[in-house]
Every structure is written in C-alpha cells, then in structure tokens.
Amino acid sequence: MKILGIETSCDETGIAIYDSEQGIIADALYSQIELHEEYGGVVPELASRDHVRKTIPLIKQVMQQANCKKDDIDAIAYTKGPGLIGALFVGVGVGRSLAYAWDIPAIGVHHMEGHLLAPLLEEDKPDYPFVALLVSGGHTLLVDVKALGEYQILGESIDDAAGEAFDKTAKIMGLGYPGGPALSKLAETGRAGTYKLPRPMTDRPGLDFSFSGLKTAVATLYHNSDKDEQSLADIAHAFQEAVVDTIYIKCRRALEQTGHKRLVVAGGVSANVSLREKLSELLESKGGKAYYPRPKFCTDNGAMIAYAGYARYKAVLEGSGQFEEPAIRAKPRWPIEEL
Ligand code: KG4
Ligand code: ZN
C-alpha cells in the first residue's frame, strides 16, 4: 500500500510517499525560512501563497522520484490541523481534490500525531505504550500514549513552546530566525556554570511547563554582558542547559507517574543534541530507551504525515478506526486528546 502525504501547516511544504513494504520511498521539502527571515517570524499570508506555488510541483517531483503513477497511490494523507488556517487550506484543498480525482480515500492527519509517530519510521522503533515528549515551535506536550489514537496529555506549556523559547531568545541575541539551531550551535562553545538560569516550575509537582520567563532572564543577561563571542556562547549555554534540565525533570516525573520504560521525543526541538544526550542517559539509567526520528524528520515534513495517514488507514481496514466525515475541514486548533 502506498500513501501520499502532504504537509502545509506552517512554513514548510513537505511531500512524501510511504510504502507499507519499503517505508518512505520518496520525500521532498521546501522550506520558506528565507521568505520569512526578514520579518523575524512566519507571515501567515505569505506562507499560504508559497504553499500554493510549491505543493503541486513537489507532488509531481515525489511521484517521479518514487516512479509512481496515480494508480499506484492507495490514499492521500494531508495535515488537517493544528496550524495556520490559510496554510492548512492549501494542503486540505489539494489533498481532498486529488483524492476525489483519483477516486481514493483522503485522510486528515493531526500534525502533532504526525510528529508523535515519526520515530516509528525508524528501523529501531518503539512498541506501545510510551511517553511522548513533543517539542516543536508551536507546542510542548507530554503525552501518555497507550496505543494509536489513545492519547492522554500529562503536561503542556502554559505559555511559550520550547521551540518558541529558543527562537525568541535567539532573536534577543541577534541570531536570526528561526534561531533554535543557531542558538544550540553557539551553546556548544559556551562554558558551563558561567551563568545560572532558573528551571521554571520544577520546584512544584506537576508536568506543565513555562518557558516565557527564561527569555526575559536571558534579555537581562544579554543587555548587561560585553556581547563578545565568549559571553554570548556562555549565555546560550546557560539558556539551553535550563531548557534541557527542565524538560529532563518533567520527563523523569512522567515516566515515574506512568511506569512506562519508553520515551519518544519528536518535533523540531528533538533535533537538539544536548536534549537527546540527556534524555537517552535518563532512559538508560531506568533500563528503558529513548526513541527519536532521524534529524530531517524532527522538523516539519511530509513523511510523518504519510506515515500517520497509513497508520490511520490500516486501523480503518482492520475495523478499529473511522474515516473522516465527508465535510472538508481544516482545524487551526485541535487538541490531540480529541483523536
Ligand atoms: O516541529 P517544527 O518544525 O515546527 C512546528 O511544528 O512548530 O519545529 C520548529 C522549531 C523551531 O522553533 C526551531 O527553532 C526548533 O524547532 N529547532 C531547534 C533545533 N532545531 C529546530 N531548537 C533547538 N535546537 C535545535 N537543534
Ligand atoms: Zn511541527
């Protein structure tokens, strides 16, 4: 079975084909980062227009790459939400229209479920149940995953998402947009212990996060610093360490609370090397294991949508799921627990 996946929820057009026998057989990604860079953040209207330009050409490219004709595709999966409404409309419209023209099912996928399932594209994949840590530009969630579609939110950010905290802090430090990767690169040359930042909400029980105070703390450090290369690196190091430590503490609690021995880490921030090292150590110390997507499937991509669509389609064929209602909808807000 082959599923074509379409992702257009934010500033990346991602297209891929998942084959149930061979895995991902083709994928392409067009990032709009350059387009939004001069504005210091995603401009929704520009994002939608660019998805209109790129979606069909990328579908053609991926079909060619995989040597597929339309008759080879069994279903189309598209991101239905959450995300920017205009950007979502492009994928929803193209996906549903193509499925209609090709007379095959269309599957509306939850973007965060796509991230959550991305580690299942790897050879060494986790079995259910597991704790999922979803850390992206828009969301920070700790989820108890009992099975496909059985999700219970254990904790979430009450203000900025982890990726958003990286991006806003990077912006304060003049590192461009989106600054997460640049900030973590700079942190590598920073010295441990030069600055100490708080680990927000770790001094009380619970699994929620709050990252917005950290950027204010960094702003103060930054404005009072010499702004030379070494002090910037030291500040970046202190910031990253605070975020990673906070996430580490909450993950440890979530594992204790659920008793699960597997942790799945996904979303853009799961590309962060320091976070990966720390969480892998945690799971090893507990006799469990941490699972991550390969780096290119950490940030938004079409492969995770194709795979989530496949998992959903398979569940329907096996009698344990339902297809979407005939009404065509995009859902900018969509709690994962509604699945
Ligand atoms: O999952 P994603 O592509 O988009 C959303 O669904 O939001 O995540 C993008 C986020 C951005 O905030 C970006 O700065 C962050 O992931 N990010 C990183 C790293 N790579 C990407 N943050 C920290 N360290 C990284 N290496
Ligand atoms: Zn995402």
Side-chain angles (χ1 to χ4, degrees), residues 9 111-112 115 136 267-268 299-300 304:
S9 69
H111 180 81
M112 297 312 288
H115 277 304
S136 72
T299 44
D300 291 348
M304 67 185 197

Side-chain angles (χ1 to χ4, degrees), residues 98-332:
L98 261 187
Y100 176 69
W102 293 357
D103 198 21
I104 53 176
I107 306 149
V109 169
H110 191 290
H111 180 81
M112 297 312 288
E113 181 175 61
H115 277 304
L116 190 155
L117 297 177
L120 276 75
L121 283 168
E122 302 307 315
E123 213 159 284
D124 181 16
K125 50 175 166 281
D127 289 325
Y128 297 106
F130 52 78
V131 170
L133 167 74
L134 303 179
V135 272
S136 72
H139 296 86
T140 306
L141 289 173
L142 266 170
V143 189
D144 182 354
V145 179
K146 297 193 176 72
L148 177 75
E150 278 183 51
Y151 309 133
Q152 187 196 347
I153 295 178
L154 301 167
E156 59 193 316
S157 178
I158 58 167
D159 41 54
D160 292 351
E164 194 179 356
F166 266 94
D167 295 341
K168 287 181 174 170
T169 303
K171 199 171 176 179
I172 291 168
M173 294 175 67
L175 296 173
Y177 175 85
L183 187 60
S184 72
K185 181 105 196 63
L186 184 60
E188 283 171 18
T189 50
R191 295 165 300 184
T194 317
Y195 301 106
K196 179 88 179 162
L197 290 169
R199 273 62 176 150
M201 293 180 71
T202 52
D203 55 351
R204 64 188 99 158
L207 295 169
D208 286 338
F209 302 87
S210 164
F211 291 115
S212 77
L214 275 178
K215 66 170 186 288
T216 319
V218 168
T220 312
L221 282 185
Y222 175 74
H223 292 301
N224 294 329
S225 78
D226 296 337
K227 300 184 184 59
D228 58 290
E229 193 62 27
Q230 189 59 55
S231 15
L232 293 186
D234 292 344
I235 296 173
H237 190 282
F239 169 80
Q240 177 168 274
E241 200 178 42
V243 173
V244 169
D245 264 5
T246 304
I247 292 176
Y248 175 93
I249 293 167
K250 301 283 169 160
C251 285
R252 191 176 59 202
R253 280 186 200 165
L255 292 162
E256 279 159 12
Q257 193 175 308
T258 57
H260 297 333
K261 292 272 184 231
R262 288 176 284 264
L263 176 72
V264 157
V265 190
V269 184
S270 69
N272 188 281
V273 178
S274 167
L275 181 69
R276 284 184 177 228
E277 282 174 5
K278 200 100 203 251
L279 292 178
S280 291
E281 269 170 34
L282 169 66
L283 269 293
E284 266 164 43
S285 75
K286 290 183 162 296
K289 193 165 182 289
Y291 298 84
Y292 311 88
R294 71 195 80 166
K296 77 167 179 173
F297 295 157
C298 286
T299 44
D300 291 348
N301 63 85
M304 67 185 197
I305 303 303
Y307 180 74
Y310 162 73
R312 288 282 170 182
Y313 189 35
K314 187 162 163 272
V316 172
L317 295 179
E318 289 166 358
S320 65
Q322 270 183 328
F323 266 137
E324 233 191 309
E325 73 277 19
I328 298 171
R329 287 204 293 166
K331 295 180 80 164

Side-chain angles (χ1 to χ4, degrees), residues 21-104:
E21 305 295 314
Q22 304 170 64
I24 294 295
I25 52 172
D27 72 293
L29 186 84
Y30 176 77
S31 168
Q32 304 177 351
I33 283 176
E34 273 178 34
L35 177 73
H36 302 291
E37 212 166 14
E38 66 173 296
Y39 305 97
V42 179
V43 183
E45 179 62 28
L46 295 181
S48 318
R49 292 183 200 183
D50 222 42
H51 286 306
V52 171
R53 277 192 283 271
K54 291 292 183 224
T55 305
I56 299 277
L58 280 188
I59 291 174
K60 279 189 181 163
Q61 182 186 322
V62 160
M63 293 288 283
Q64 236 169 22
Q65 226 183 75
N67 213 3
C68 280
K69 304 257 175 310
K70 63 178 168 42
D71 290 345
D72 299 324
I73 303 296
D74 297 279
I76 294 181
Y78 58 87
T79 305
K80 178 175 164 184
L84 302 171
I85 186 72
L88 288 167
F89 273 150
V90 181
V92 173
V94 171
R96 292 293 289 247
S97 307
L98 261 187
Y100 176 69
W102 293 357
D103 198 21
I104 53 176

